[in-house]
Amino acid sequence: IASLVGLTINYLIGVTFMYFAMNMWLNLEISYQIAWIGMIPFFIKDIALSCLAAVFTVRIANRIPLKWKTVKA
């Protein structure tokens, strides 16, 4: 869940920045909706990679011996 929330925040900031950059600096008149539509393939790929990373993280964490998971004071 944390990786998907982070991904969403990243895309909200990134697509908004791309929209302003294209309209102000590059003088390309695009709508905010078109900016999002152009990012859909990348967003789908990044969602899949985030889910895979979460699955692998859980599997790797389960293989770590218990003595390494606890912090001793």
Side-chain angles (χ1 to χ4, degrees), residues 18-45:
M18 181 184 72
Y19 166 75
F20 284 121
M22 293 179 87
N23 280 314
M24 292 181 184
W25 298 322
L26 299 176
N27 293 326
L28 299 172
E29 297 295 326
I30 66 165
S31 68
Y32 193 62
Q33 182 180 9
I34 295 297
W36 272 102
I37 290 172
M39 295 307 292
I40 288 174
F42 304 106
F43 193 61
I44 292 170
K45 175 203 56 118

Side-chain angles (χ1 to χ4, degrees), residues 35-73:
W36 272 102
I37 290 172
M39 295 307 292
I40 288 174
F42 304 106
F43 193 61
I44 292 170
K45 175 203 56 118
D46 288 339
I47 288 173
L49 289 175
S50 294
C51 291
L52 279 174
V55 169
F56 287 133
T57 301
V58 170
R59 287 187 178 180
I60 290 171
N62 289 335
R63 292 182 182 204
I64 297 174
L66 187 59
K67 66 179 181 179
W68 293 101
K69 289 183 181 180
T70 58
V71 176
K72 297 180 182 179

